[in-house]
Amino acid sequence: MEAVNRSTRPILVVDDDAKIAQLVRVYLEREGYRVVAAHDGNAALAALALDEPALVILDLMLPQVDGMAILRAIRRRDRTPVLILSARGAAQDRIAGLLEGADDYVTKPFSPAELVLRVQRLLRPPHPGTADRPARGTITRGSLTVDIERQEALLHGVPLSLTRVELALLAVLLEGDGRVLTREHLLDAIHGTDDGDVLDRSIDAHVRRLRAKLGDDPARPTYIATVRGVGYRAAGVGATP
């Protein structure tokens, strides 16, 4: 059966190993995605300037310009989904990548079929809320507003620069109305699937980055409170300290 072209915007695969880049290309093109590849940091930056990719699959150890620098360049520009694909598999590497704004992290060696599933998940519209309580179009808590349809969040009327995952996570927490939400629940809600392979602690990295953008102090939270050993909840959003 002929593959369906899922998007006119390509997926950019950045890897200095041409064999890995070709393997990823083959599996994604089978699913109908358009793929472009870059094999060093400068080529990746040039491709980003030329195209507006729907998603970037990014190696970290690249010649000329390393992957973290490229990730920072992407985040200064927009919130294009970024999936890191790297041989650096230590916990501190994964957390560092997520804190810099990556949406997902896969370590090498990897399953191409699993990689495709993760790409599909990242390119689906976020699904904040739960099956029995779908998210509203707009969620407002005090000075904080999340508009699901427009995919934006405003704090005191000023737009926040959030990634897709951060926006979905914030919406889920606000919809919780102060209920304690486990890490497993948050992963399921923001990704729209029960993906057991995603590390629960990746939620911690996304929350840490989200708090930084909100200017929230974890010790005296206005927006996101930690429930030790369980997860997180909305903390009197917009209330005066």
Side-chain angles (χ1 to χ4, degrees):
M1 188 172 79
E2 184 179 352
V4 177
N5 186 6
R6 292 174 177 265
S7 173
T8 57
R9 296 169 61 196
I11 292 174
L12 173 60
V13 178
V14 185
D15 201 304
D16 62 336
D17 188 326
K19 291 182 178 179
I20 289 179
Q22 179 61 18
L23 177 65
V24 173
R25 178 196 289 273
V26 167
Y27 271 79
L28 289 174
E29 288 183 344
R30 284 178 184 173
E31 297 299 318
Y33 295 105
R34 186 163 69 90
V35 179
V36 295
H39 302 303
D40 60 60
N42 284 339
L45 293 173
L48 287 166
L50 183 64
D51 291 307
E52 293 185 3
L55 179 142
V56 179
I57 298 175
L58 180 64
D59 189 14
L60 292 180
M61 295 181 285
L62 297 168
Q64 299 176 357
V65 181
D66 69 34
M68 282 297 193
I70 293 170
L71 175 57
R72 295 185 193 106
I74 293 171
R75 284 293 165 259
R76 285 194 295 268
R77 189 180 73 170
D78 57 34
R79 61 186 189 191
T80 298
V82 176
L83 185 155
I84 292 177
L85 179 62
S86 175
R88 294 180 182 172
Q92 60 265 31
D93 292 317
R94 297 194 298 270
I95 290 171
L98 293 167
L99 287 175
E100 288 290 349
D103 297 281
D104 203 349
Y105 198 115
V106 175
T107 56
K108 300 174 182 177
F110 64 99
S111 161
E114 179 189 353
L115 184 71
V116 170
L117 289 175
R118 289 177 181 252
V119 166
Q120 291 171 341
R121 184 195 67 199
L122 287 174
L123 290 177
R124 283 200 301 265
H127 296 284
T130 60
D132 60 340
R133 187 182 181 190
R136 297 187 292 272
T138 301
I139 311 163
T140 299
R141 299 289 184 274
S143 57
L144 186 58
T145 297
V146 175
D147 189 323
I148 303 300
E149 292 184 2
R150 298 183 63 180
Q151 285 291 284
E152 68 177 11
L154 304 175
L155 180 60
H156 303 294
V158 178
L160 293 168
S161 178
L162 304 182
T163 67
R164 288 163 53 89
V165 169
E166 290 163 356
L167 183 71
L169 178 59
L170 181 58
V172 172
L173 287 166
L174 296 186
E175 276 287 289
D177 285 326
R179 290 182 294 115
V180 178
L181 303 177
T182 65
R183 293 178 177 85
E184 294 84 355
H185 175 95
L186 291 169
L187 281 170
D188 182 58
I190 66 176
H191 294 312
T193 181
D194 184 13
D195 189 350
D197 291 332
V198 179
L199 293 173
D200 292 346
R201 293 292 168 179
S202 69
I203 285 292
D204 296 345
H206 288 304
V207 167
R208 200 180 314 172
R209 186 173 173 87
L210 183 55
R211 277 173 166 160
K213 292 182 178 181
L214 290 168
D216 205 17
D217 180 0
R220 300 180 58 191
T222 301
Y223 304 105
I224 303 173
T226 301
V227 181
R228 189 178 297 274
V230 182
Y232 299 94
R233 63 177 178 81
V237 175
T240 302

